[in-house]
Tab-separated table of all heavy atoms in Angstrom:
chain	number	residue	atom	x	y	z
A	7	VAL	N	-2.330	-0.407	0.401
A	7	VAL	CA	-2.675	-1.076	1.655
A	7	VAL	C	-3.268	-2.420	1.270
A	7	VAL	O	-4.295	-2.469	0.574
A	7	VAL	CB	-3.663	-0.247	2.483
A	7	VAL	CG1	-4.014	-0.969	3.780
A	7	VAL	CG2	-3.089	1.132	2.784
A	35	GLY	N	-6.770	-0.679	9.490
A	35	GLY	CA	-7.642	0.271	8.820
A	35	GLY	C	-9.011	-0.311	8.561
A	35	GLY	O	-9.332	-1.422	8.995
A	36	MET	N	-9.796	0.466	7.870
A	36	MET	CA	-11.117	0.000	7.456
A	36	MET	C	-11.435	0.541	6.084
A	36	MET	O	-10.978	1.611	5.691
A	36	MET	CB	-12.189	0.446	8.457
A	36	MET	CG	-12.410	1.945	8.490
A	36	MET	SD	-13.693	2.429	9.651
A	36	MET	CE	-12.807	2.326	11.189
A	37	GLY	N	-12.187	-0.234	5.341
A	37	GLY	CA	-12.686	0.204	4.045
A	37	GLY	C	-14.172	0.450	4.153
A	37	GLY	O	-14.684	0.822	5.217
A	38	ARG	N	-14.890	0.214	3.065
A	38	ARG	CA	-16.304	0.564	3.095
A	38	ARG	C	-17.138	-0.405	3.909
A	38	ARG	O	-18.287	-0.114	4.238
A	38	ARG	CB	-16.853	0.695	1.674
A	38	ARG	CG	-16.693	-0.539	0.829
A	38	ARG	CD	-17.173	-0.245	-0.568
A	38	ARG	NE	-16.968	-1.412	-1.425
A	38	ARG	CZ	-17.338	-1.472	-2.681
A	38	ARG	NH1	-17.916	-0.443	-3.242
A	38	ARG	NH2	-17.122	-2.559	-3.398
A	39	GLN	N	-16.561	-1.601	4.261
A	39	GLN	CA	-17.293	-2.504	5.155
A	39	GLN	C	-17.062	-2.137	6.619
A	39	GLN	O	-17.608	-2.770	7.513
A	39	GLN	CB	-16.882	-3.963	4.914
A	39	GLN	CG	-17.318	-4.525	3.591
A	39	GLN	CD	-16.376	-4.151	2.451
A	39	GLN	OE1	-15.234	-3.746	2.696
A	39	GLN	NE2	-16.838	-4.273	1.215
A	58	LYS	N	-3.610	-4.695	8.252
A	58	LYS	CA	-3.194	-4.614	6.845
A	58	LYS	C	-1.705	-4.309	6.796
A	58	LYS	O	-1.088	-3.976	7.815
A	58	LYS	CB	-3.943	-3.486	6.112
A	58	LYS	CG	-5.460	-3.615	6.106
A	58	LYS	CD	-5.950	-4.710	5.173
A	58	LYS	CE	-7.476	-4.808	5.250
A	58	LYS	NZ	-7.987	-5.930	4.458
A	86	ILE	N	-13.497	-9.108	-0.625
A	86	ILE	CA	-13.493	-7.792	-0.007
A	86	ILE	C	-12.264	-7.681	0.894
A	86	ILE	O	-11.793	-8.672	1.451
A	86	ILE	CB	-14.782	-7.510	0.800
A	86	ILE	CG1	-14.949	-8.544	1.905
A	86	ILE	CG2	-15.995	-7.448	-0.116
A	86	ILE	CD1	-16.062	-8.167	2.878
A	87	GLY	N	-11.754	-6.458	1.010
A	87	GLY	CA	-10.588	-6.242	1.851
A	87	GLY	C	-9.267	-6.486	1.145
A	87	GLY	O	-8.209	-6.438	1.780
A	88	ASP	N	-9.289	-6.739	-0.157
A	88	ASP	CA	-8.047	-6.980	-0.900
A	88	ASP	C	-7.115	-5.787	-0.846
A	88	ASP	O	-5.905	-5.947	-0.986
A	88	ASP	CB	-8.355	-7.292	-2.368
A	88	ASP	CG	-8.488	-8.778	-2.617
A	88	ASP	OD1	-8.277	-9.569	-1.679
A	88	ASP	OD2	-8.781	-9.155	-3.772
A	89	GLY	N	-7.685	-4.601	-0.661
A	89	GLY	CA	-6.811	-3.452	-0.482
A	89	GLY	C	-7.154	-2.276	-1.354
A	89	GLY	O	-8.144	-2.294	-2.098
A	90	LYS	N	-6.326	-1.262	-1.244
A	90	LYS	CA	-6.534	-0.038	-2.000
A	90	LYS	C	-5.176	0.546	-2.323
A	90	LYS	O	-4.210	0.374	-1.573
A	90	LYS	CB	-7.373	0.947	-1.176
A	90	LYS	CG	-7.967	2.067	-1.980
A	90	LYS	CD	-9.166	2.670	-1.249
A	90	LYS	CE	-10.435	1.861	-1.479
A	90	LYS	NZ	-11.617	2.497	-0.892
A	92	TRP	N	-3.300	4.233	-3.873
A	92	TRP	CA	-3.486	5.608	-4.344
A	92	TRP	C	-2.133	6.218	-4.682
A	92	TRP	O	-1.092	5.760	-4.199
A	92	TRP	CB	-4.256	6.450	-3.337
A	92	TRP	CG	-3.703	6.500	-1.947
A	92	TRP	CD1	-2.796	7.404	-1.460
A	92	TRP	CD2	-4.023	5.626	-0.857
A	92	TRP	NE1	-2.539	7.142	-0.141
A	92	TRP	CE2	-3.277	6.070	0.257
A	92	TRP	CE3	-4.858	4.522	-0.702
A	92	TRP	CZ2	-3.339	5.435	1.507
A	92	TRP	CZ3	-4.921	3.882	0.533
A	92	TRP	CH2	-4.173	4.337	1.625
B	1	ATP	N1	-11.216	5.773	1.794
B	1	ATP	C1	-10.118	5.315	2.392
B	1	ATP	N2	-9.253	6.163	2.966
B	1	ATP	C2	-8.128	5.704	3.567
B	1	ATP	N3	-7.790	4.413	3.633
B	1	ATP	C3	-8.628	3.529	3.068
B	1	ATP	C4	-9.826	3.921	2.419
B	1	ATP	N4	-10.437	2.823	1.954
B	1	ATP	C5	-9.650	1.801	2.303
B	1	ATP	N5	-8.569	2.207	2.977
B	1	ATP	C6	-7.491	1.401	3.512
B	1	ATP	O1	-7.359	0.254	2.701
B	1	ATP	C7	-7.587	-0.929	3.458
B	1	ATP	C8	-8.247	-1.949	2.598
B	1	ATP	O2	-9.470	-1.435	2.150
B	1	ATP	P1	-10.512	-2.391	1.445
B	1	ATP	O3	-9.792	-3.316	0.544
B	1	ATP	O4	-11.413	-2.981	2.468
B	1	ATP	O5	-11.280	-1.278	0.558
B	1	ATP	P2	-12.796	-1.235	0.152
B	1	ATP	O6	-12.997	0.085	-0.520
B	1	ATP	O7	-13.641	-1.547	1.335
B	1	ATP	O8	-12.902	-2.357	-0.963
B	1	ATP	P3	-13.608	-3.817	-0.856
B	1	ATP	O9	-15.070	-3.567	-1.086
B	1	ATP	O10	-12.957	-4.616	-1.918
B	1	ATP	O11	-13.320	-4.344	0.532
B	1	ATP	C9	-8.395	-0.453	4.657
B	1	ATP	O12	-8.250	-1.330	5.758
B	1	ATP	C10	-7.782	0.903	4.916
B	1	ATP	O13	-6.562	0.747	5.611
Side-chain angles (χ1 to χ4, degrees):
V7 180
M36 67 179 78
R38 58 184 177 177
Q39 291 82 18
K58 301 287 178 185
I86 60 170
D88 267 356
K90 196 159 278 186
W92 55 90

